[in-house]
Amino acid sequence: MPATDRPYLVFSDVDETLITVKSMFDFLHYQLVRRHGTAGEEKYERIMAVTRRKAADGVPREDINRFYYSHYTDESVKTISDLADDWFAERSVSTRGFYIESTRRALAGHRAAGAGLVLVSGSFPPVLEPLAREVGADAILCTRPVIAEGRYTGEVETPVIGEGKRAAVEGFLASRPDVDPQDCYAYGDHLSDLPMLHLVGHPVVVGDDAELRARLAQHAKSVRT
């Protein structure tokens, strides 16, 4: 933890940084199978096949994010929220290794030191809110599906991925002029987290992504020179 009395913030990616699963897709599988059984499993596999094909074809992650949320068109916000609460209750208790413990301990240490904790994710509020309560996060910066009359439209506001993460974190930092970004921390595991990691004085790579580590080191060197 930093040896400073100045206020600071900690920004943390979620999937494969704080938890071991990809929350969007794990929840999609959970709710489809719970509601529709075998038909839900088959629908999930069809969605994932298209998702994998898009990724292999180099479709931007932001567009894949939009594709994911199109599958919630006309879904009740309350129904999805209730299912997400059940998903989190089951997964966080019954799934061995649900949390990446090193990150969870680090975030708890920052909280104990008085830092504000902000989760930053391409996932969406129903999935992230129970997690935020569990780890004591003060805010969530995430992709927000458009809602009309209590139902999802299938569209989203700006996906909080890559440059979307940068913009979201920059906006949050702008709302806290008492905080110096150089005192802040950010945790991420993927190259798409790099724009967020570049904004703080203490970026932390979770996992063994060699390219992410190399790119971050290169950026730090260019800043110093």
Side-chain angles (χ1 to χ4, degrees):
M1 300 305 102
T4 177
D5 292 328
R6 296 188 298 272
Y8 73 101
L9 299 169
V10 179
F11 300 94
S12 179
D13 174 52
V14 175
D15 297 354
E16 299 181 314
T17 295
L18 176 57
I19 60 176
T20 56
V21 301
K22 292 184 180 296
S23 61
M24 292 161 48
F25 293 106
D26 196 69
F27 172 66
L28 180 65
H29 180 265
Y30 172 86
Q31 61 98 353
L32 285 175
V33 172
R34 175 166 164 175
R35 298 161 78 189
H36 307 297
T38 301
E41 182 76 53
E42 292 171 351
K43 181 175 182 179
Y44 174 78
E45 291 301 330
R46 289 195 298 272
I47 293 170
M48 291 308 297
V50 175
T51 300
R52 286 190 289 268
R53 186 164 63 249
K54 286 178 177 290
D57 290 344
V59 173
R61 285 167 65 93
E62 294 85 349
D63 291 343
I64 293 174
N65 192 258
R66 293 183 185 279
F67 168 73
Y68 171 88
Y69 289 110
S70 71
H71 294 90
Y72 289 90
T73 301
D74 205 37
E75 288 278 13
S76 161
V77 173
K78 184 180 187 308
T79 296
I80 295 301
S81 181
D82 289 344
L83 284 164
D85 284 343
D86 291 345
W87 166 82
F88 180 76
E90 292 186 26
R91 290 291 191 264
S92 62
V93 171
S94 64
T95 303
R96 184 176 181 182
F98 179 75
Y99 288 100
I100 295 177
E101 290 298 337
S102 59
T103 305
R104 191 181 189 186
R105 288 194 300 270
L107 298 184
H110 287 298
R111 290 287 294 165
L117 172 58
V118 182
L119 300 184
V120 189
S121 175
S123 194
F124 65 135
V127 172
L128 296 171
E129 285 167 357
L131 177 62
R133 290 192 293 268
E134 180 70 18
V135 301
D138 301 284
I140 302 170
L141 305 178
C142 67
T143 302
R144 295 189 178 272
V146 177
I147 297 170
E149 298 181 353
R151 293 185 175 275
Y152 293 116
T153 68
E155 299 176 336
V156 300
E157 298 175 11
T158 305
V160 181
I161 295 175
E163 290 300 322
K165 284 190 175 181
R166 182 202 299 274
V169 171
E170 281 182 332
F172 198 88
L173 286 168
S175 74
R176 289 291 307 272
D178 58 317
V179 170
D180 184 343
Q182 290 304 303
D183 290 332
C184 296
Y185 286 68
Y187 290 74
D189 72 289
H190 188 271
L191 278 175
S192 61
D193 297 318
L194 200 56
M196 171 180 72
L197 297 175
H198 282 169
L199 294 175
V200 301
H202 303 282
V204 180
V205 175
V206 177
D208 56 2
D209 188 322
E211 185 177 1
L212 176 58
R213 292 180 182 276
R215 294 272 293 275
L216 195 58
Q218 182 180 28
H219 174 76
K221 182 177 180 180
S222 68
V223 170
R224 288 195 299 271
T225 57

